Structures are given as C-alpha cells and as structure tokens.
Amino acid sequence: MTLPHSPGGVGEPRPPQTVQVHRLEHRQEEEQKEERQHSLHMGSSTRRHTFRSSEEEYQFSAADYALAAALALTASSETSWEAQLRRQTSTVELEERGQKRVGFDNEWERTEVAFLRTQWLLRQRRDRKALRRRTEDKVQKAKELRELCSGRGPWFWIPLRSHAVWEHSTVLLTCTVQASPPPQVTWYKNDIRIDPRLFPAGKYRITNNYGLLTLGIRRCTIEDAATYTVMVKNAYGQASSFAKVLVRTYLGKDAGFDSEIFKRLMMGPSVEFTSVLKPVFAREKESFSLCCLFSEDVLDAEQNIQWFQDGRLLRSSGRRQTLYGDRQATLKVSCAYKEDEGLYTIQVPSPFGPREQSAYVFVRDAAAEKPGAPGSPLNVQCLNVNRDCLILTWTPPSDTRGNPITGYSIELCQGESEQWVPCHQAPGGTCRCPIQGLIEGQSYRFRVRAISRAGSSVPSKASEPVVMGDREEALRKTEIPFDLGKTITVSTDDFEEAVTIPSPPTDVHASEIRDAYVVLAWEEPKPRGRAPLTYFLEKSVIGSGTWEAISSETPVKSRRFALLDLEKGKSYVFRVRAVNQYGMSDPSEPSEPIALKGKPATLPPPAQVQAFRDTQTSVSLTWEPVKDSAELLGYYIYSRAAGSSEWQTVNNKPIQGNKFTVPGLRTGKEYEFCIRSVSEAGVGESSAPTEPIRVKQALATPSAPYDFILLNCGKNDMVIGWKPPKRRGGCKILGYFLDQHDSEELDWHAVNQQPVPTQFCKVSSLQEGHFYEFRARAANLAGVGELSAPSSLFECKEWTMPQPGPPYDVQVFEVRATSLMLKWEAPLYKGAGPVTGYLVSFQEEGSEQWKPVTPHPISGTHLRVSDLQPGKTYVFQVQAVNSAGPGQPSMPTDPVLLEDRPDAREIEVGVDDEGFIYMAFEAPEAPDSAEFQWSKDYKGPPDPQRVKVEEEVNKSKIILKDPGPEDLGTYSVVVTDADEEISASHTLTQEELDKLKKLSHEIRNPVIKLISGWNVDILERGEVRLWLEVEKLSPAAELHLIFNDKEIFSSPNRKINFVREKGLVEVIIQNLTEDDKGSYTAQLQDGKAKNQITLALVDDEFDKLLRKADAKRRDWKRKQGPYFEEPLQWKVTEDCQVLLTCKVTNTKKETRFQWFFQKREFPAGQYDPQTGAGLVCIEELSKEDKGVYRAEVSDDRGEDDTILDLTGEALDDIFTELGRIGALSATPLKIQGTEEGIRIFSRVKYYNVKYMKTTWFHKEKRLESGDRVRAGTTLDEIWLHILDPKDSDKGKYTLEIAAGKEVRQLSTDLSGQAFEDAMAEHQRLKALAIIEKNRAKVVRGLPDVATIMEDKTLCLTCVVSGDPAPEISWLKNDQPVTFLDRYHMEVRGSEVTITIERVNSEDSGRYGVFVKNKYGSETGQVTISVFKHGEEDKVLKM
C-alpha cells in the first residue's frame, strides 16, 4: 500500500524516465509489501535492515503508525510532499545519470554515493509511511472489533417518548437500546410489572428486535393512562426509560391538553410541602438527615426531586443517600464532615413551577482527642498535579479552642490501602504546601491535622484521589477527526527529530514564592527528543560565584520543583539541566534572583458588620466584603451572649458573600456577633462586635385576614366578621381596611378610610336583596398587608329569625396534650330572646361529623375541653341558644393539634425576696408590642384592689397585696400580637395559698437555717468540743453565748470560735470539770434573721461525758511514751498452738519489754524491737499454763502494760477453740481389723474430754459401751471397738464430735467388701494371737552376762511357757550340753534350772536354753565368764 498522490498532477505530461522510475519503485514496493505483511503476522514491531548505515536502527512506535494513518486519511487535493519528493528525486536521478558520463575519479564516486543515499532515504520514508498506514488500519479495525465484542452495560440510543391518544385507539411505545450481551427487558406500568398473560388476549404486545423494543397497547381506556417504564439489565449494568400515556375522552376541554389529568401525567401532581426544613446542627464524624413531608405521594415524582448543596446538585454516594417514602423525601448523610456544611435545598416539580425549601446544615467540630486541641482543617485539595509533585491546599479551622495553631501535619494514603502515613509538616502560618517525591501513575489521597501546644486535631476529610501524571502531555497531542465520529490522535513527539543529548531547558523562573518555600518552573528543551527526560537543578547564592547541586531523593521528572531549604534574607539564582538516557545537557540560563517572601499576613476583618432581626430564633448579618483580595477563602462568624466574654463559632465552613442568617438562637436573648476573614495565611483578626441585638421576629407587613362571616344583617347594612392574619408581622395589628363588591357591579369599593380596630365592621348603604362579597387587609407599623381572597356572597336581607346569630372571635388557648381552652364573644344578633347558653361541638380531622363537647348548653363564654386524644387534630365551633333553640354556628376554628410543646411555658407561682406572693409568666418570643392580658376565672382582669401588676421585658407578674380566700381561683394570661398562641393558666387552691403564706412569713420573719444542732466531741487530749453549724452568714452576723443565764466569752479554759463564712459556732473546754455543768445557748442574728440553739449538759449525760474526757486524757498521757498499740490477746493456730500476742509502738532503743506470768518474770516470752511485736507460744495448753499473763514496756518517758487473765472464762474460751479446731481436724473414719474384732477410728490434732463430746451411732441409733462395743479416746484418736463382730454389726457408723457450738459428723459404711476385709484381718490377727499365746518361749530369768570364780557352783534359772509343755535343751556355743558329772538340769513346773559345779575357765562361753513345742520355739541366751583367783579386779575392769 502506498500513500495516495495529490490529484493536482492529473493530466500533466510526464517524461518517460519518470514513468520508468515509478515502475521500478512499484516493483520494489510490491516486494517489500509482501515482506512487511509477513513481518506483521510474525510480530508487533518491524526493523529495517536494508541500507544499514552508521546511524542506529530505527524502531517504529505506535505514534509513528498513528501519524502515517492520519496523513493518509487527511490527504487533500493539493500536491502531497511525498509526491513532490518523488518528482524531485527522479529529476535528480536523471541529472546524475547524465553527469555520470562526464564524471572522473573521485567526483564520480561521490556522485554515485549521493545517488544511493538519496534512493535509500526515499525508500525508507516510503516504506515507513506505508507500514504505518497499514498497521494503523489493522489496529483501528481490531479496536473496533474489540469494542463491538466487549461487554458493556445497556444504554438507550433512542428513549421512550410520551403519547396522548384518544380513547379506544392503539398506542405503540418504542425505544432503541444498545448492550453487550443482549439485556433482559422488563416493562412496568406505574411501577407494576406488565404480564400479558394476566390481561385479555392482545391487550399488550411486547417485542424485541435486535435492540428495538416496543410495547403495544390495544384499545386504550382511561385506566391505561399511566407512566410506563422499560427496564433493561445485563451483567454490566442496567438502564431505564419511561414515558407517560394520556388517554383523552371526547369531553371537550376536559379531554384536551388543558385537562387536569394531562397536567398530572405530564408535569406530575401538584405537590405541596406540609413541613418546613429546619436548620440542622450536626457533629463531625456523626450522621444527620433532612426530611420533607408532602401533601401528595412523591414516588411518581421521585426521578424529578432534586437535592442541592450551595446550589450544587447532589447525587447518592457511599456517605450520602436519598430516600423516598409515600409522602416524604429524606436525605441522609452517614458520616458528616465540615465540607458537608452549607445550604441544602430540595426542589420538587409541580404544574406551576418547581417548589423548593432550604435549610442550613451546621457541622460542628468532633470532640478533641486531647483537651484543648484545635478543630480539624477542611477542604483539602490537590493543585498543579504533575508526574512526581503537587501543591496541597486546605482551609484552617474556625475553632482553635484557645490555643493558636503552630503547624499542620500532612498524611498520605496510597490507593485504597487506608494506611495513612505522615509525609510532611507545614508551619502554622500557611495552608498551602508542596508535596514531592511521589510515584508517577500512583493514586494518592491526603488529609491534614492542625497542631497546637495542646495536641493535634482529628484528621480532616481525605482529599479526592489524584493520579500522578504529566498533565501537559495532553497539550502535545492533537485529535484528527475522520469518518463518522472517529478520531486519530497525533502527538508532537512523533515529529521530533532524532536527538541524543538534549538541549538545555529554558525560561527558568519561580512560579510561586512563599515564606517557607519556592516553586521553581521551567520549559522543556526544544527539541527535546523522544527519550524520557529528568532534570538536574543547581543553585547559587548571589555574590558567591559558585554553583551547588540541589539534592533530591528521587529523580525530578516534572518541570516543577519545590525548594524547602532556602535561607531567609538571601537571594538565589537557579539553573536546570536536562538528562536522558544519552547524557546530560548544558545548563540553562540562570533565573532571575529569587528570595523568600516574608510571612504572609492574614486578611483584615470585614467592615460595617450589622445585625438585624430575622425570626424568633435567627438573626440576619450583613457586612462589607474585604476588597481586592484574591486569597480570600470566606468568612467565619462568631457569636456570644451579651455580657459573656467567650465567643462561640457559628459556622465551620467559610461563608462566601456578605450576608448570612444565624439560626438556632434563643428567643428573647441578646447576642453580639463578629466576623473573621479566612485565607491561606490563616484566620484573621475579629471585626468589631455588633451592638447587642435581642432575638425577635423582624417587623413585616401582616398576612391577609381570612374566614369572613356574616354576624348580623339589616335592610341596608351588614356586620361582617373575620379572623385575624396568621402572620402579624411582629407587632400589633393597628386595624383593618374592608372592601365590598356588589355582585351586579364590576368594581370594588372601599368601606372605610380609617382602619377598623376590631375584627368586625358594619357596612351601611347597601341595597336590600343584593349579594355582596368582601375582602380585607390588615395594617401594622410596617404598613398595609396582603389583600385577602374574596369572601362568599352574602345576601343583604334583614334577619328576623328567632334564633340567635353566630358567636364570633372563637379563640383557642392553653393547648396541651389532652386539653385546651375555648373562649368566644356573644352573638351580635340575639334573636327573639336573650341568649341562655352555648353549645360547643368538635370535629376530628378526616371526619365530617360534628360531636357535642357537653350534653347540655353552658352559660359562660369560655370552656375548658378535656379528655381529648393526644396527637390528634380537632376543629371546634360554637352555637348560641335562646328560647327558640340553637342559632347559627360560629366560624370553625383553625385545626388544633393536641401536643405538649417542649417550649410551652407555665405560670410561675412563688414568693419574692420581700415576702410577697406572686404569679409570673415569661414569654421570650413575644413581640415588642405584645401585651400580657391577665384574667381571673376567665371573667376579666383581676381586681386591682387585690393585685398589683408589674411588667418587665417579655415578662409580666401579678402580686397579691393581701392574700386571702378572695384570691382563690384560676388565673390565666394571654400574650397578644404573637403569631403562635402563647397562653397559660394556674389554679390557686387553699392548700397552695397556705404554703405560700407560710413561706412568706418565713421570708418576712427569717430564721437562720440550722444545719446541725449542738454536737459534743472529745478531742485527742481530752478536751471537750461543743459545736453547731448553721447556714453561711454575712460578716455582720452576731453571736451571744449564754451559759446558765450568763453570757460567757473566751477564756484560757474555754475558747469560743465563730466562723461566719462557714456558719460554725465552737466552744472548746480544755479541762472539763463540775463547774462546766449546765446549759449552753447560742443566740445568732444576721440582719433580720435570728435563731437560738440550746444544749443541756446535766445529770447522767454530764457525768458520762466527764468520765470519757478523763479516760481520753489519761490515754493521751499514756501514749506520750511507749504504749501498747495492740493489747495482749490469745490466738489458737491450726496446729493447736496457743499464741499470746501484743504490739508496742512509740518505742526507742532504750525501751525495755518484759513478760510476767503469775507476777513472776516469764523468760519464755519473745519480743521483736523492730516490729514491736510480743509473743508467747504455748505448744500444748495444760493446767500448768493457767494464770495471769502481763506484758510491760517502759523507758524514761513512761511505762505501759497489758494483762491477759487465762483463768475462768478466758481459759474456757481457749479450750473451746482448741476443741473446735480439733473437731475440724478430724480425719475421715477408717476401718481396721484387730485380734479382738473390728476397730473404727479417726485421728485428731487435739482432744479434750471436758470440752469435746463424742457420740457413736449405728444406723442412726446411738451406741453405748458394753460387752461387745467399746468406745474410747487416746491423745490423737477417737475409736469404736466392735468385739466378736457379727453380720448384725454391718451398716453405717457415724461419729459426732461436739466442741462448743461446732458439731462435726463423720460417717463410714461397714458392709460389703469393707466388712469382709475387716473380718479377714480380724481372723488372721486372732489366729496369730493364739499362736503367740501358746508358743514355747523363755519368759524371764536369764541375765545377759554372768561372771563366776573358778571352783564355784553356777546356778542359772529361767521361766518358760508353752501349751503343750515345751521341750527343753541347753546349748553351749551353739552346741548341745550333755548333762553329766558337773552339769545338771532340773525342771520344776515352768522353772528350768541348770547347775554347773566347780566351774573352770573351760566353762566360759555363750549358753542358751532352747524351748520348743508345736506352735514355735525360742532361745534364751546368757554369757558366762569364769575368772581365776586374784583376777577379779582385772575382770571387773574388763
């Protein structure tokens, strides 16, 4: 494919050489085309290797392909530069060929090289353009194919449109939708899905032909008039379109486009607001909502309801949600920020134009993380976003909580990680800071904290995410449109020449100079080349002559750089170098000298700040704006109550403009306001405070009167009545102007030239039988108000009916949750007789039935209606009754909603400082011209002879001059000229009046209030303190202390203290004696207030006090030296040891401690000087330990002792405690077999027969010691012995141990295996006992050693036992003894004797007697030593 030639050359003659050249080029082009086509199929990039030169190989980019395609598509009728180049080349080629014939040597060679190079350039350029164009075509087609094949959500190419059709005709609704994949289609009628199966056959026909959607409605009826919606949905999203269908009938005008149904369908219902948006005071990080109520269902108009903030349309988001109910619309914000503060407006369409309401939302600062920390900044924005840097700005907070802001902490978050990292600290005098070192292509969000010496604020709302990138890249690109709606983008980089080392940057200058930083900017080098550029910066101080490199953590990619480390007072110049992959450029031209600016000054406050009344809860402010200040961000407004020194923030988001209405103020209070200007330098100084202004409704002209009624009618005159305006304009209604209109005439005529002060007017000079209508206007100090709507037509015909006319001026007062008060005026027309009563009836909202309030007529012109249902709305009317019956009803009252208003005020009843009984009523919302009208029993003002009326600002008070029974009754008050009803009543009863009179008497005859009567305390040293306490007294208060009818004063033994500011009277007696017995009376007087309090110290009470004081004095003296802090006392341990302990304090090194027992020194006692603890440990208490123990401590300061008598009750208590511990220490019962039977026992740590009682039970039966059962105790065991046990002895055995009040029971079960084991052990031991009893054994008689002299006779005798009688033999040195000659044995009963005659040394040895029977054997041994004559001493020594 070749680039098209310009058609401008068509028809021009071409030389034959040119044709041949073009043919040759065509052949070469076809060959290269095939090669390129093969290359495009094999890879995405192509390199040319033909005609390789010293230059680097060229690689084509996507921009090259785009440029080629753009040039191909934008070819014009003019000659292209490519075609011209071809012709020029052909000419040069022919000329060179001609010159070739005459060239010589090097000249010819140079010509040939030039020719070849020119040919190579032509081919290279041609091939490049062709390849670009082909590649661009392929890329474009692939892109279009991907777009067609890729999935996307549905959208309407042609939406539905509304139709108006005649009845019984057919309508077809059509639309066109595009989506991939094809969407699911659903049709709705008034939000109800259309299912053709549920309707008559052929009623609805739904089709979908490749995105063309149709809904056919056959033979339309009035019921088919509705809103039809089509909803399309696929995996990538959903969309909807709706249209209205109006079905007209043949009824003339009612069926045309002027019909009401058409207006409702096309423009929506006529929606009226039934509630008023009120200001919202939210808090940061909390939720708030705005809600509107409507008279009609708004679901149909949901799509047209719009919310605005400061004129900006709001959309639903993650934090913000719009909800719509049947008759309400709600805007909810889940997490409020100060950026959400502003004026919110809701706009609802209606046939007569959009209707709207507005309310201001204030977002206060969140609670500080640390007390005194400032509020958070707001409006964090990212400006001048580049590849690696940006400028961050924010707005300072309005409330610093008394601590100036010293700086700001900036935090950043990458992407959606929600990990906030501190990145910079900005000084406190600026709200603008550069952020550097960011990553290109990365998304960032920022937030800011304000810092003061009290701490840091909560973080601000995060800025909108920004993606770092080259914002000027778009300026280097150009979009070239072609075909139908298609474009090709061409970049200037595509036309850059091949540059290696870049040129120096240009125009180095300071784009922004602040007090803390300078932002340096420059222009990129031209030509810049195609390689990516970074920059290297250098600085030089003016006059230094040297350049210093500016270090940066990351390469500088943007053409902006912020310098944060410059020194103030010095001037700098800067230069920049460009760097690419090939190297660094030369430095740029130095910039102009640059120096840091001074700290920016805050803006001056606005002038002429004025406050004006607005409503009962708001004040309007105006001021002159700050002029010629481009840095102004807005204004902060502050308010304070008059007389207060603390300013409160009104708004937390700067206000634009020079007007603002401050809502949420307290009615009747006075306020002052000031304003501060806000800029990036911070919040400026305050303006001068406004003059104090009381919050009241601003004066305005009244609204129109309404509800006209005919009160009386004569032949030529009428009396017309009406209701006063609902809005009175903040002041008194001066009168009314009435106009009349005869139905037979065209013009209206004024009835009166001067205002009528009443709510009725007599109109004269009328024509009998004519019909008249009336209208009126009210006038106040602000002027004449709105003109009312015309009344109904009244016929001028004289009234002659016997019944009375209608009552008028029916008013409702004292509205509460279940009751209200009605009051009216008697009718002007009495009828045939006087009015005898009135019938009052009511009607509930939504009902048309009137119900009587009372079954019978009432006589008065007022009535309290009770027992109504709270939360309901009622309407009332009154009829007068005479002898002829009930007359015409009055004009019904306005609807009254029964509820307890939170701000409703009641009459205050009390007694003032002078003792007068009063009733007061305060109404801060009352207009300045309002009057407080008091009445008694609703019959008129109270008797001025009995009450006095005092008026204050917004307050009225009546004072009873001489309270008595005549003053009992109901007192009511009504505030006039108020738009809303302000009234209250109070019934004064006899009981309440008595309480008030008592209080009045106390105030007029005051008594000093007694807080605490006389109290008696004994002080540490034995002094006696008498004191009483009364209320706080003035410095002029007096005290007279009377003792036994005589006034006493302070003396050395009796001190008197009178502390007036605490109301304390105190008498301290140093040493109480009999002389102090008697009565003490304190007489107090403080102005008019008096009191007298008496204390009697006599008889037993005085004697008891005297003894206690003496004991306290002695105890104090005792404690001047060492003394026992803890007296001697006993304690029994778990090991049944008895411990006698005491503790000494106030000791020193010389202090001596001694123990005594029975008046003798007891050395076994212990004492620890370090802790002062004394101890006597009795391991086992016995009678020897009975006696009196005494511990004594003494030194040169004095001595003290403590005694413990361990006799009598104390000793019994110890033994009882030992018994208790012993009983608790008893181990579980154990079973043991013995030779006599079975033994059951428990071990204890201690046992005392006298103080511990034991009882054994077998099967709940008490056991007594007998022949077969023995019970006993040892030192550590309590046992039960069952002799010769039998089966009847089986069962449960219980041991009960009683020690004092402590009783413990231990049980075991002697049965089953336990019984068998015990019996087996008993049998075994019994058998062993029999064997042991009958076994042969040597009982006694043989000594261990026997010595004898030679030639003497040795006789050894022993006693043996055994049954049967044992066999007896003797052994000598374990060998049997033969009884011959000298050896003889004699057995006499159980005695066995061996005799050895004439013993010699050979007879020495170990002899034994051996006894044996069938049960066993035993040997008794003795050692015999025979010594010679004369060796006795020696033997004895041995």
Side-chain angles (χ1 to χ4, degrees), residues 558-863:
S558 303
R559 294 188 295 105
R560 291 175 179 270
F561 188 79
L563 303 167
L564 305 175
D565 56 351
L566 301 182
E567 297 183 19
K568 291 186 177 181
K570 291 185 179 181
S571 295
Y572 297 84
V573 290
F574 302 89
R575 65 185 185 186
V576 184
R577 298 174 185 261
V579 183
N580 65 6
Q581 61 184 356
Y582 303 110
M584 181 184 295
S585 73
D586 293 332
S588 66
E589 291 294 328
S591 67
E592 295 292 330
I594 300 172
L596 294 176
K597 289 184 177 180
K599 185 176 181 180
T602 57
L603 297 179
Q608 298 296 324
V609 181
Q610 296 182 346
F612 303 95
R613 288 184 177 179
D614 184 56
T615 67
Q616 291 186 352
T617 58
S618 63
V619 169
S620 180
L621 298 177
T622 63
W623 59 89
E624 289 186 3
V626 178
K627 298 180 180 179
D628 302 329
S629 177
E631 296 182 354
L632 180 66
L633 299 178
Y635 303 95
Y636 282 140
I637 301 176
Y638 300 85
S639 67
R640 68 181 179 188
S644 173
S645 60
E646 183 177 357
W647 290 97
Q648 303 292 334
T649 58
V650 173
N651 61 307
N652 284 289
K653 179 180 177 182
I655 295 171
Q656 309 298 324
N658 62 337
K659 294 181 181 179
F660 190 73
T661 299
V662 181
L665 305 177
R666 295 183 60 183
T667 305
K669 297 293 183 179
E670 289 189 345
Y671 290 88
E672 297 175 347
F673 300 90
C674 71
I675 301 178
R676 293 181 173 186
S677 302
V678 186
S679 65
E680 290 184 352
V683 181
E685 296 295 328
S686 300
S687 65
T690 63
E691 292 295 328
I693 183 172
R694 190 178 299 276
V695 181
K696 291 281 189 178
Q697 183 179 358
L699 294 182
T701 56
S703 60
Y706 62 102
D707 284 352
F708 291 85
I709 186 174
L710 182 61
L711 299 179
N712 195 359
C713 188
K715 289 184 178 181
N716 302 107
D717 55 72
M718 293 181 179
V719 178
I720 303 298
W722 55 84
K723 291 182 180 179
K726 293 183 178 180
R727 290 185 294 102
R728 304 181 184 233
C731 60
K732 183 178 182 180
I733 299 295
L734 301 177
Y736 299 90
F737 294 93
L738 188 65
D739 295 340
Q740 69 177 29
H741 174 239
D742 192 332
S743 60
E744 298 181 2
E745 297 179 1
L746 295 177
D747 299 331
W748 286 82
H749 303 282
V751 174
N752 57 313
Q753 299 299 325
Q754 297 296 326
V756 178
T758 59
Q759 291 175 210
F760 62 89
C761 178
K762 184 175 183 180
V763 184
S764 304
S765 303
L766 303 179
Q767 298 185 22
E768 186 176 5
H770 283 221
F771 288 86
Y772 293 89
E773 58 183 348
F774 301 89
R775 64 187 185 187
R777 288 180 293 182
N780 62 7
L781 293 176
V784 179
E786 301 173 3
L787 184 64
S788 69
S791 68
S792 302
L793 291 173
F794 300 118
E795 183 182 8
C796 184
K797 183 178 180 180
E798 185 178 6
W799 283 0
T800 59
M801 67 274 195
Q803 296 85 2
Y808 66 98
D809 197 16
V810 182
Q811 300 181 40
V812 179
F813 302 103
E814 304 173 26
V815 180
R816 299 297 183 264
T818 58
S819 65
L820 53 80
M821 190 70 191
L822 287 175
K823 185 180 179 183
W824 58 89
E825 297 294 335
L828 299 179
Y829 178 76
K830 307 299 183 182
V835 174
T836 59
Y838 297 92
L839 293 174
V840 181
S841 56
F842 70 93
Q843 184 184 80
E844 295 184 12
E845 185 180 25
S847 173
E848 297 183 356
Q849 180 182 2
W850 288 92
K851 299 178 182 179
V853 175
T854 57
H856 304 289
I858 61 173
S859 58
T861 57
H862 62 273
L863 174 66

Side-chain angles (χ1 to χ4, degrees), residues 987-1166:
T987 300
L988 184 63
T989 62
Q990 183 66 51
E991 181 181 2
E992 183 181 19
L993 182 61
D994 292 341
K995 292 180 180 179
L996 294 172
K997 291 173 68 175
K998 180 179 179 181
L999 180 59
S1000 174
H1001 180 269
E1002 292 176 356
I1003 293 176
R1004 293 181 178 181
N1005 302 279
V1007 175
I1008 296 176
K1009 182 180 179 181
L1010 179 66
I1011 298 177
S1012 177
W1014 281 109
N1015 296 271
V1016 180
D1017 296 334
I1018 300 177
L1019 303 182
E1020 183 182 12
R1021 299 187 180 185
E1023 306 102 323
V1024 176
R1025 177 176 179 254
L1026 313 178
W1027 64 276
L1028 62 86
E1029 185 180 4
V1030 296
E1031 62 182 337
K1032 181 179 178 181
L1033 302 176
S1034 68
E1038 297 179 0
L1039 168 67
H1040 298 279
L1041 189 61
I1042 308 300
F1043 173 61
N1044 293 337
D1045 299 329
K1046 293 182 179 180
E1047 185 174 0
I1048 59 175
F1049 304 93
S1050 289
S1051 64
N1053 187 49
R1054 187 186 290 132
K1055 290 185 178 180
I1056 302 174
N1057 298 323
F1058 182 31
V1059 185
R1060 294 173 176 80
E1061 58 270 16
K1062 295 182 179 180
L1064 180 65
V1065 176
E1066 180 180 64
V1067 180
I1068 298 177
I1069 303 174
Q1070 300 293 333
N1071 188 8
L1072 187 68
T1073 62
E1074 290 290 337
D1075 295 337
D1076 299 310
K1077 181 188 295 186
S1079 63
Y1080 295 80
T1081 301
Q1083 297 177 352
L1084 296 169
Q1085 183 173 358
D1086 189 4
K1088 295 182 179 180
K1090 298 179 181 179
N1091 205 340
Q1092 179 174 297
I1093 307 97
T1094 300
L1095 170 66
L1097 286 180
V1098 294
D1099 302 333
D1100 293 342
E1101 185 176 355
F1102 178 82
D1103 296 339
K1104 184 177 179 181
L1105 178 63
L1106 183 61
R1107 288 194 298 271
K1108 287 184 178 180
D1110 291 341
K1112 193 77 171 181
R1113 188 179 304 105
R1114 289 194 303 270
D1115 186 63
W1116 177 81
K1117 290 181 179 179
R1118 178 178 66 86
K1119 291 182 179 180
Q1120 301 310 300
Y1123 67 93
F1124 285 93
E1125 183 181 18
E1126 296 179 5
L1128 193 59
Q1129 53 191 346
W1130 58 265
K1131 177 184 177 182
V1132 179
T1133 68
E1134 294 296 327
D1135 295 330
C1136 297
Q1137 296 176 332
V1138 178
L1139 303 179
L1140 306 182
T1141 62
C1142 60
K1143 189 173 182 181
V1144 181
T1145 188
N1146 196 22
T1147 62
K1148 60 182 182 178
K1149 185 176 181 180
E1150 294 79 9
T1151 301
R1152 183 184 179 191
F1153 187 97
Q1154 289 180 293
W1155 281 99
F1156 296 91
F1157 175 60
Q1158 295 294 86
K1159 299 183 180 180
R1160 294 180 181 180
E1161 191 171 351
F1162 188 59
Q1166 303 175 21

Side-chain angles (χ1 to χ4, degrees), residues 193-384:
R193 183 175 179 178
I194 298 176
D195 188 350
R197 297 173 296 179
L198 303 179
F199 296 91
K203 177 64 177 178
Y204 294 103
R205 180 178 177 83
I206 299 175
T207 62
N208 182 0
N209 295 324
Y210 302 102
L212 178 62
L213 312 180
T214 63
L215 171 65
I217 308 174
R218 184 172 175 270
R219 295 188 61 81
C220 292
T221 62
I222 296 298
E223 289 75 15
D224 294 321
T227 299
Y228 291 85
T229 305
V230 59
M231 180 74 69
V232 290
K233 180 179 181 182
N234 66 3
Y236 296 95
Q238 66 179 15
S240 63
S241 179
F242 69 95
K244 298 181 183 294
V245 173
L246 173 66
V247 180
R248 296 183 292 176
T249 59
Y250 296 97
L251 299 176
K253 181 179 179 181
D254 292 338
F257 290 101
D258 295 331
S259 64
E260 185 65 26
I261 187 171
F262 176 79
K263 291 181 179 179
R264 292 180 64 86
L265 285 174
M266 298 303 295
M267 307 181 68
S270 179
V271 178
E272 298 287 344
F273 289 100
T274 59
S275 66
V276 178
L277 278 180
K278 295 183 179 180
V280 175
F281 297 90
R283 189 169 291 278
E284 197 175 7
K285 305 299 177 63
E286 297 179 1
S287 62
F288 71 87
S289 62
L290 292 167
C291 182
C292 262
L293 302 180
F294 303 97
S295 60
E296 299 288 341
D297 187 358
V298 297
L299 291 178
D300 291 340
E302 173 182 345
Q303 298 174 345
N304 295 325
I305 296 178
Q306 294 178 322
W307 288 90
F308 298 87
Q309 179 191 357
D310 295 330
R312 178 174 55 87
L313 180 63
L314 298 179
R315 304 288 186 187
S316 294
S317 63
R319 291 189 308 111
R320 188 187 303 115
Q321 186 180 11
T322 54
L323 304 175
Y324 300 96
D326 292 340
R327 293 190 177 186
Q328 69 177 12
T330 305
L331 175 67
K332 289 188 176 181
V333 176
S334 59
C335 181
Y337 291 97
K338 291 196 280 189
E339 288 81 353
D340 296 317
E341 183 172 297
L343 183 66
Y344 285 75
T345 303
I346 181 173
Q347 192 176 88
V348 182
S350 73
F352 307 102
R355 300 181 183 274
E356 62 182 32
Q357 278 194 5
S358 299
Y360 208 91
V361 174
F362 296 88
V363 181
R364 297 170 179 168
D365 282 305
E369 296 176 351
K370 294 183 178 180
S376 62
L378 66 154
N379 292 337
V380 181
Q381 297 180 359
C382 299
L383 307 178
N384 299 333

Side-chain angles (χ1 to χ4, degrees), residues 150-156 177-181 183 232 234-239:
S150 62
R152 62 180 177 182
W155 63 283
F156 284 93
V177 67
Q178 292 186 1
S180 178
V232 290
N234 66 3
Y236 296 95
Q238 66 179 15

Side-chain angles (χ1 to χ4, degrees), residues 835-898:
V835 174
T836 59
Y838 297 92
L839 293 174
V840 181
S841 56
F842 70 93
Q843 184 184 80
E844 295 184 12
E845 185 180 25
S847 173
E848 297 183 356
Q849 180 182 2
W850 288 92
K851 299 178 182 179
V853 175
T854 57
H856 304 289
I858 61 173
S859 58
T861 57
H862 62 273
L863 174 66
R864 180 172 294 280
V865 183
S866 305
D867 299 330
L868 299 175
Q869 297 185 20
K872 284 196 172 185
T873 302
Y874 294 89
V875 175
F876 298 87
Q877 69 178 14
V878 183
Q879 291 176 280
V881 180
N882 63 7
S883 58
Q888 298 180 15
S890 66
M891 180 64 68
T893 64
D894 292 339
V896 181
L897 175 63
L898 294 186

